[in-house]
Amino acid sequence: MEEIRKGALYLVATPIGNLSDMTFRAVHVLSGADLIAAEDTRNSRKLLTAYEIKTPMTSYHEFNKYDKADILIGDMIGGKTVALITDAGTPGISDPGEVLVEKCYEAGIPVIPVPGACAAVNALVASGQPTRNFVFEAFLPADKKERREALERLKGEVRTMVLYEAPHRLLKTLGELRDALGDRRLTIAKELTKKHEDFRQTTLNAAIEFFETEEPRGEYVLVIRGKSPEDVQAEKEEAFAGQSVEEAVAEKMAGGLDKKSAIKEVAQERGLPKREVYSAVIGMEG
């Protein structure tokens, strides 16, 4: 096994449900660290007890993430090794660990990831939705304005979208997503790696109908298909109200642009290669 580095921060992934998903390396690092910073020490105590890890723990969570980060930085500057764990999964993903990591870089402290479970990635790869390109949104913001802005961003997203949601907010969030995105295809993953793990391929409309009569239970990951190329193209055509490429270039030239600049702007606006716009204009002139 590797030698534990002094004066470093280890980001240690822990199981998201099934305790058997703990890695040998994670046990080694947690056992060899001087201090474990845990999001919820009571919750993490069960995990440490199961693997007979006796390293001291301290709390590091959303409400003390700035002040406590400074204390932990001081410990690591003094030579201590700190292992950061979250309630479940990989620290730094949708939790306060990102603050501590940033401060470590500012202080010149090594940051070492110990890979393992991540709910977002597990839900994505088993969802049956496209996985080549995806965007992780975590939980939608609670603030109304920020939430509207996030939904507006997602409206035009062509990549697969991955979101987290709690059971008591699931139905409301599904409705907001349907209103913003339309009736999009998605996979709803529930209670990953646990006894009642479930994957449901459905649509936003069908999911809303289902959960209106079936009470949501457990933690959910929503894997939503991005906007199709056909929909993107249809929206572009609608936005330009049937105006041809040639007409668009002519309009911009009438507004004072030279031909080269007009072609460049039209190509950018419509997401077309410049040579395609150029060829259309030359054909018009010919």
Side-chain angles (χ1 to χ4, degrees), residues 12-31:
V12 183
T14 55
I16 56 177
N18 192 323
L19 283 182
S20 298
D21 290 334
M22 190 74 162
T23 68
F24 290 114
R25 187 182 178 204
V27 173
H28 174 68
V29 170
L30 292 177
S31 299

Side-chain angles (χ1 to χ4, degrees), residues 122-133:
N122 280 273
L124 174 67
V125 297
S127 69
Q129 305 298 342
T131 60
R132 181 178 178 84
N133 295 293

Side-chain angles (χ1 to χ4, degrees), residues 8-221:
L9 174 69
Y10 282 84
L11 305 175
V12 183
T14 55
I16 56 177
N18 192 323
L19 283 182
S20 298
D21 290 334
M22 190 74 162
T23 68
F24 290 114
R25 187 182 178 204
V27 173
H28 174 68
V29 170
L30 292 177
S31 299
D34 296 303
L35 183 65
I36 296 172
E39 190 173 7
D40 185 333
T41 55
R42 293 167 300 178
N43 182 62
S44 296
R45 179 63 63 193
K46 301 171 188 175
L47 175 69
L48 301 190
T49 299
Y51 285 95
E52 299 181 352
I53 298 169
K54 305 185 186 306
T55 306
M57 271 197 298
T58 187
S59 63
Y60 179 76
H61 49 70
E62 183 65 27
F63 303 104
N64 72 354
K65 61 185 179 182
Y66 294 106
D67 293 339
K68 193 56 171 284
D70 292 334
I71 294 172
L72 294 172
I73 291 294
D75 288 338
M76 288 181 278
I77 289 174
K80 285 187 176 181
T81 301
V82 175
L84 178 67
I85 59 176
T86 186
D87 278 350
T90 301
I93 299 293
S94 189
D95 82 0
E98 63 181 333
V99 173
L100 182 56
V101 171
E102 183 178 2
K103 285 181 174 286
C104 280
Y105 275 93
E106 291 171 357
I109 293 168
V111 178
I112 305 166
V114 180
C118 174
V121 172
N122 280 273
L124 174 67
V125 297
S127 69
Q129 305 298 342
T131 60
R132 181 178 178 84
N133 295 293
F134 67 95
V135 57
F136 177 58
E137 189 67 25
F139 290 93
L140 288 173
D143 178 83
K144 288 183 179 179
K145 181 175 181 293
E146 292 178 2
R147 195 176 182 90
R148 284 196 303 271
E149 290 172 349
L151 288 166
E152 188 63 30
R153 285 197 308 272
L154 294 178
K155 186 184 295 186
E157 184 58 69
V158 296
R159 295 169 294 181
T160 299
M161 295 160 275
V162 183
L163 292 83
Y164 290 159
E165 194 48 279
H168 63 282
R169 292 191 301 263
L170 180 64
L171 190 56
K172 176 188 175 186
T173 296
L174 288 172
E176 291 175 324
L177 288 166
R178 189 267 316 277
D179 292 343
L181 309 179
D183 189 22
R184 202 73 66 81
R185 291 174 61 187
L186 80 159
T187 299
I188 301 178
K190 167 184 144 181
E191 293 289 89
L192 290 171
T193 78
K194 300 177 184 177
K195 181 179 179 181
H196 298 292
E197 176 183 86
D198 181 66
F199 288 85
R200 179 181 296 272
Q201 278 198 348
T202 182
T203 66
L204 285 167
N205 274 338
I208 291 167
E209 185 177 341
F210 177 80
F211 286 111
E212 282 176 339
T213 57
E214 189 79 20
E215 182 184 0
R217 296 179 183 276
E219 298 300 317
Y220 291 85
V221 185

